[in-house]
Amino acid sequence: MKYAFFPGCVLEGAAKEDYVATKAVAKKLGIQIEELDGWTCCGASHVQDIDPLAVLATNARNIALAEEQGLDLMTVCNTCTLMLREAKNELDRDEVQKARVNNILAQAGLQYKGTTEVTHFLWILIREYGLNNLKAKVVKPLSGLRVAEYYGCHLLRPQEETGFEDFQIPTSLADVIKAIGATPIDFSRKLDCCGFHAVYPAHDSVMRMTGSINADAAKEGADCVVTPCPLCQMQLDMFQKEAKQYVPSDKDMPIIHMSQLIGLALGISPAELGMTKRHMTSTAALNRFIGV
């Protein structure tokens, strides 16, 4: 099982811990991931408002690079997943746009063919790898750990672009949490937007959104929030202290990358998963669940 790995900008910088954890978990599971050589930013859901053709060509190029390797393209960022899949869906159904984009790509000696699928690490674990195989790799079941499952918008919506599961009643993240021995907390704001892409133009509203998610998870008795999106993780963790000024909460809520949570169950140490130095909200409260 091998994939071309599209880390995206955030894993290269601000969420480097997710990059490290994803590679460590993939290695433990026997999933080969080869970072896409020469990948570029997906456009992060904003650039298409200015130059949609440029964004389409950019993401077609990323997919074409994976096609040259003969591999499907794996991401771990919800927004990257959406941007790449939107581009693929448009190109696969519109031959005129496909020809226009390929004229651009030809300048770099590339061609978009449509032979590579764009998928997310979470989807791979469910559909290709299999939950039973994941469960068999667990060496430290996270028994007693109550995990608030937080999906993030761009992995679910719009459903015609993502299409993996019901965007109103998703189960994939809860299924992974159960497979590694923890207890998923189906809290009321698990489908809410974290506000990441609007934090600067709509600061106060976003702080209330962020604060409400963390406060609701605490109210439901969660020990941590886990998300498959590094942008959501950053928003809920980085702005947690500030968001409490808008939505008060007595609890500091650890916000964990999905890769990190799985890594703990596979016996990888918190330090190796980037949990000891790179989180704004301490994750030390989780150590008792892995015997540290």
Side-chain angles (χ1 to χ4, degrees), residues 63-222:
I63 299 170
L65 290 172
E67 289 177 341
E68 284 197 329
Q69 296 178 342
L71 299 172
D72 286 341
L73 187 58
M74 183 193 96
T75 77
V76 297
C77 173
N78 290 10
T79 298
C80 292
T81 302
L82 178 60
M83 295 294 291
L84 288 161
R85 285 181 68 87
E86 281 185 332
K88 177 175 174 57
N89 289 343
E90 180 175 352
L91 293 167
D92 288 350
R93 64 176 176 251
D94 189 334
E95 289 296 327
V96 173
Q97 279 290 68
K98 182 178 177 181
R100 186 176 293 124
V101 163
N102 274 331
N103 283 335
I104 297 171
L105 296 185
Q107 299 176 47
L110 291 170
Q111 180 183 14
Y112 173 85
K113 301 173 183 177
T115 56
T116 281
E117 293 299 320
V118 176
T119 188
H120 189 284
F121 192 29
L122 172 59
W123 299 348
I124 290 170
L125 293 175
I126 298 289
R127 187 162 51 194
E128 277 85 32
Y129 193 79
L131 292 172
N132 288 334
N133 290 328
L134 174 60
K135 189 174 182 179
K137 292 286 188 177
V138 171
V139 297
K140 288 188 175 182
L142 303 180
S143 303
L145 180 63
R146 293 169 58 84
V147 181
E149 51 183 288
Y150 183 74
Y151 287 84
C153 301
H154 291 162
L155 201 61
L156 299 173
R157 304 185 288 273
Q159 188 163 17
E160 60 269 20
E161 302 290 358
T162 55
F164 181 79
E165 59 189 322
D166 189 322
F167 75 98
Q168 294 178 311
I169 315 174
T171 63
S172 58
L173 191 52
D175 291 340
V176 167
I177 292 168
K178 286 186 284 188
I180 59 177
T183 301
I185 302 299
D186 186 14
F187 74 127
S188 65
R189 295 189 181 274
K190 72 176 184 179
L191 305 182
D192 283 11
C193 176
C194 71
F196 178 88
H197 292 285
V199 69
Y200 295 115
H203 177 272
D204 290 358
S205 294
V206 168
M207 287 303 111
R208 284 189 286 272
M209 293 161 65
T210 299
S212 295
I213 292 165
N214 287 332
D216 192 56
K219 181 181 177 181
E220 293 297 328

Side-chain angles (χ1 to χ4, degrees), residues 186-256:
D186 186 14
F187 74 127
S188 65
R189 295 189 181 274
K190 72 176 184 179
L191 305 182
D192 283 11
C193 176
C194 71
F196 178 88
H197 292 285
V199 69
Y200 295 115
H203 177 272
D204 290 358
S205 294
V206 168
M207 287 303 111
R208 284 189 286 272
M209 293 161 65
T210 299
S212 295
I213 292 165
N214 287 332
D216 192 56
K219 181 181 177 181
E220 293 297 328
D223 298 302
C224 66
V225 172
V226 69
T227 177
C229 178
L231 301 181
C232 293
Q233 191 280 336
M234 287 171 56
Q235 180 65 29
L236 297 178
D237 183 37
M238 185 186 304
F239 291 98
Q240 183 170 156
K241 183 176 180 180
E242 183 178 357
K244 286 183 179 181
Q245 300 173 25
Y246 294 79
V247 183
S249 176
D250 294 331
K251 182 177 176 60
D252 291 336
M253 180 60 64
I255 313 295
I256 309 299

